[in-house]
Amino acid sequence: MRFDIISCQPDLLDSPFSHSIVKRAQQKGLVEIHIHDLRKYAINKHGQIDDYAFGGGAGMVMMIEPIDKLLSELKAEREYDAVIYMTPDGQTLNQKIVNQFSLLRNVIILCGHYKGVDERVRQHYVTHEISIGDYVLSGGELGAAVLADAIIRIIPGVLNDESSALTDSFQDGLLAPPVYTRPADYKGMQVPDILLSGDGPKIEQWRFEQAVERTKQRRPDLLNE
């Protein structure tokens, strides 16, 4: 899978894609991540990519021309399955959306900034608008990193144990059950006996019941869905 991420602050994306699972996915050749500096497509020698909003008001707006230039260049090289705009008023990201995106091959992610992009970009170029929560960040870069990380980890071959991703929270509509590791008894705090029993079916039943109970307590809205 290939990600082309458009940003006016590309340095913000260096760290998220240079470590851990995402780094290994790139080393395995399963994922390509290309960061594009929008300022290289500025309308003048001053690096201008934003301007005041028509009609007045506070804040600057990302201009359509630099974005169009970069998108046209990318689309001349390959076909893209999605152009995703990271914006606070987009569809709230969830695991179902992540799973759908993981089936795609070439994806562009446009990071918003300032007061957002010229509305014509959203109307004519963007295919999906995604938010990572009901709050506002300084730009879309962190949201883009969250989205890409969530997608990459479930691409086949990225995780050493693919079943791990299938048992994550939200994959089956439930939160994950509690987990424990050694030692079984630490300062009197003990691991539930069922997990030490070796009885696979009973352990799975216990995990399911715990997942339902945890979801009921913390995210009852998921059970309603």
Side-chain angles (χ1 to χ4, degrees):
M1 187 172 182
R2 177 183 171 112
F3 294 85
D4 286 277
I5 303 179
I6 299 173
S7 167
C8 57
Q9 299 286 339
D11 291 346
L12 288 174
L13 293 166
D14 287 343
S15 180
F17 299 134
S18 301
H19 303 278
S20 190
I21 291 171
V22 176
K23 178 182 179 180
R24 293 198 296 271
Q26 295 176 81
Q27 291 173 336
K28 290 180 179 179
L30 298 172
V31 173
E32 289 184 38
I33 301 174
H34 301 269
I35 313 299
H36 303 275
D37 185 353
L38 187 60
R39 293 193 183 278
K40 293 182 178 179
Y41 299 82
I43 64 168
N44 56 36
K45 64 180 181 180
H46 303 294
Q48 185 181 359
I49 59 170
D50 63 304
D51 209 336
Y52 295 103
F54 282 125
M60 305 293 282
V61 178
M62 294 172 66
M63 304 171 72
I64 187 172
E65 186 175 343
I67 295 172
D68 174 58
K69 287 180 180 178
L70 178 46
L71 289 176
S72 297
E73 183 176 295
L74 291 173
K75 291 180 177 180
E77 298 175 354
R78 66 189 56 80
E79 291 187 4
Y80 285 89
D81 304 303
V83 177
I84 304 168
Y85 174 47
M86 304 304 301
T87 173
D89 60 352
Q91 184 178 10
T92 303
L93 185 65
N94 59 34
Q95 192 63 46
K96 182 178 180 181
I97 295 172
V98 170
N99 291 346
Q100 292 171 346
F101 282 152
S102 74
L103 302 176
L104 305 181
R105 185 169 181 84
N106 297 314
V107 171
I108 293 173
I109 303 178
L110 172 61
C111 301
H113 210 68
Y114 311 116
K115 295 295 287 185
V117 301
D118 187 305
E119 185 66 19
R120 289 168 292 185
V121 174
R122 302 174 74 164
Q123 292 174 343
H124 298 284
Y125 299 90
V126 170
T127 63
H128 301 77
E129 299 187 349
I130 296 295
S131 166
I132 62 169
D134 295 339
Y135 46 86
V136 178
L137 299 172
S138 299
E141 286 77 14
L142 298 180
V146 168
L147 173 62
D149 185 283
I151 294 171
I152 290 168
R153 68 185 310 277
I154 60 173
I155 294 174
V158 169
L159 297 180
N160 292 329
D161 182 359
E162 293 182 12
S163 65
S164 175
L166 299 178
T167 57
D168 286 339
S169 291
F170 307 112
Q171 281 289 11
D172 56 2
L174 298 172
L175 299 182
V179 292
Y180 301 84
T181 189
R182 295 177 178 80
D185 186 336
Y186 181 70
K187 296 183 177 181
M189 296 178 282
Q190 298 183 339
V191 172
D193 291 338
I194 184 65
L195 297 178
L196 308 175
S197 69
D199 190 328
K202 288 185 177 180
I203 290 174
E204 289 306 309
Q205 179 63 28
W206 179 88
R207 285 175 171 160
F208 173 74
E209 292 170 355
Q210 291 292 312
V212 171
E213 184 60 29
R214 176 164 286 188
T215 306
K216 186 186 301 182
Q217 293 176 355
R218 302 185 181 188
R219 290 291 306 275
D221 56 298
L222 295 176
L223 294 178
N224 294 334
E225 291 177 7

